[in-house]
Amino acid sequence: MAPFSRLLVAALLLVAATGGGADAGGIYGPAQYDRVFSFGDSLTDTGNSAILPATAGGPFTNAPYAQTHFKRPSGRASDGRLVIDFIVDSLRLPQPTPYLAGSTASEFRQGVNFAVGGATALDMAFLESKGITSFVPVFLTNQTTWFNRVLQILAASPNQQRKIMARSLFYFGEIGFNDYSFALLNLKNKDTVGLAESLVPHIVGVIRSALIDAIAAGARTMVVTGMIPIGCEPELLALLPSSRANYYDQASRCITPFNQLAQLHNRELNRMLSQLRRAHPRTSIRYGDLYNPIVAIVSSPRKYGFGGMPLAACCGGGGGPYNFNFTFFCGTPLSTACADPSRSVSWDGIHFTEAANMFVARNMLRAGLEASQPIQISK
Ligand SMILES: *[C@@H]1O[C@H](CO)[C@@H](O)[C@H](O)[C@H]1NC(C)=O
Ligand SMILES: *[C@@H]1O[C@H](CO)[C@@H](O)[C@H](O)[C@H]1NC(C)=O
């Protein structure tokens, strides 16, 4: 773990030095940030959904969640650390306080994580109007509202607020997966992929609004992560099998139309980010790739140190290539965990293992640092 941390520090120093806006001047580095503000869903949540009444007491608050790193359930949907944890650690910054766990300036000064497991990008009423049912009443606009509240708590004057913003790293974790998966699982609709695709411009639109909000408040450095390969999720593979031609990709065995949806999202997201960079040249806006590293491991698991069943959940039950069945959902009494989660990509059929998160974090940072070069993927 130690060499890895050092590598991340070096990578981030370089990212910061080469990645700034017009006046970056190579002076950014870990010491230039005091804190991280992060947003997203369960891939980034470090404790909010364990507190939110709608989700408190969920399976992720039970063992064996967190068994690899934190040793007792930490509110994270993994066996250990998330991508955001590796980024925070590599910058040697304090762990951001989950928004719902804090209320005072001293709790929020070290950074705040607004991400909530189950959060959607779009609000419930909009999803409802499309015939899509969501379950957790938190959307990206809630998280932006919370952020504005925190900013007021941290500093009263706009001038002080801008100073805080300038010394903060903004991490916009993946958001939208829940919207898409609720659409794909909506079996009353004949064209669920079309329904999910129709959400793309709306989801990219709310992400854009959140970014513009942060930039307006004075954010200078942002990492915006894209969509995961939705078609490689054990949950969706198990629940939505098909014998249609070309449904499964030959190399990865993931569901092709779902991965195409994720690629569409990522293309639209990157198009929007390019526009924002042009409009705000003093803000450094990095894209964090969650797609290619995961597809790479799933297609060639052994090459990257993973085991031979990359589409099977480590924790869960039911067997088969996906080992996913809600009756045996990880953290519920009938579930079991595999012997070595570091050889698995998926922890519980929906969320990644710490090993996969580490791989993604490392590649995200390296991609940021060599933005113009092909991504070298290694474990
Ligand atoms: C999110 O925002 C909506 C209004 O836009 C509100 O009804 C809901 O209560 C908020 N959720 C939380 C958890 O604060
Ligand atoms: C899940 O497991 C239950 C209990 O063994 C079984 O009855 C059910 O058919 C399984 N579901 C699927 C989709 O395999």
Side-chain angles (χ1 to χ4, degrees), residues 251-312:
S252 65
R253 308 308 300 161
C254 301
I255 299 172
T256 299
F258 297 0
N259 276 359
Q260 285 170 341
L261 167 67
Q263 288 175 331
L264 174 68
H265 172 101
N266 289 339
R267 273 199 308 278
E268 293 300 314
L269 180 69
N270 272 296
R271 194 198 308 260
M272 178 271 284
L273 294 181
S274 300
Q275 287 166 352
L276 276 190
R277 287 187 193 106
R278 280 196 296 276
H280 304 279
R282 283 167 56 86
T283 307
S284 170
I285 305 174
R286 295 269 159 201
Y287 172 66
D289 185 3
L290 300 183
Y291 185 94
N292 291 298
I294 295 293
V295 169
I297 319 176
V298 164
S299 304
S300 313
R302 292 201 174 82
K303 181 171 169 191
Y304 302 111
F306 289 83
M309 299 250 296
L311 298 177

Side-chain angles (χ1 to χ4, degrees), residues 142-154:
N142 291 96
Q143 297 182 28
T144 310
T145 305
W146 294 346
F147 160 70
N148 288 326
R149 204 174 288 161
V150 162
L151 196 49
Q152 298 298 326
I153 292 172
L154 284 178

Side-chain angles (χ1 to χ4, degrees), residues 132-146:
I132 300 166
T133 307
S134 66
F135 300 95
V136 178
V138 176
F139 339 117
L140 192 52
T141 47
N142 291 96
Q143 297 182 28
T144 310
T145 305
W146 294 346

Side-chain angles (χ1 to χ4, degrees), residues 36-41 44 83-84 87 113-115 140 143-144 147 169-175 206-215 219 221-227 269 272-273 276 283-290 364:
V36 174
F37 290 115
S38 52
F39 304 80
D41 58 21
T44 307
V83 173
I84 182 69
I87 289 175
N113 187 348
F114 300 96
L140 192 52
Q143 297 182 28
T144 310
F147 160 70
L169 178 70
F170 284 75
Y171 180 87
F172 286 87
E174 172 278 313
I175 190 90
V206 296
I207 297 172
R208 179 173 180 275
S209 300
L211 299 178
I212 286 177
D213 231 59
I215 294 170
T221 315
M222 318 208 269
V223 177
V224 184
T225 65
M227 188 48 55
L269 180 69
M272 178 271 284
L273 294 181
L276 276 190
T283 307
S284 170
I285 305 174
R286 295 269 159 201
Y287 172 66
D289 185 3
L290 300 183
M364 190 183 286

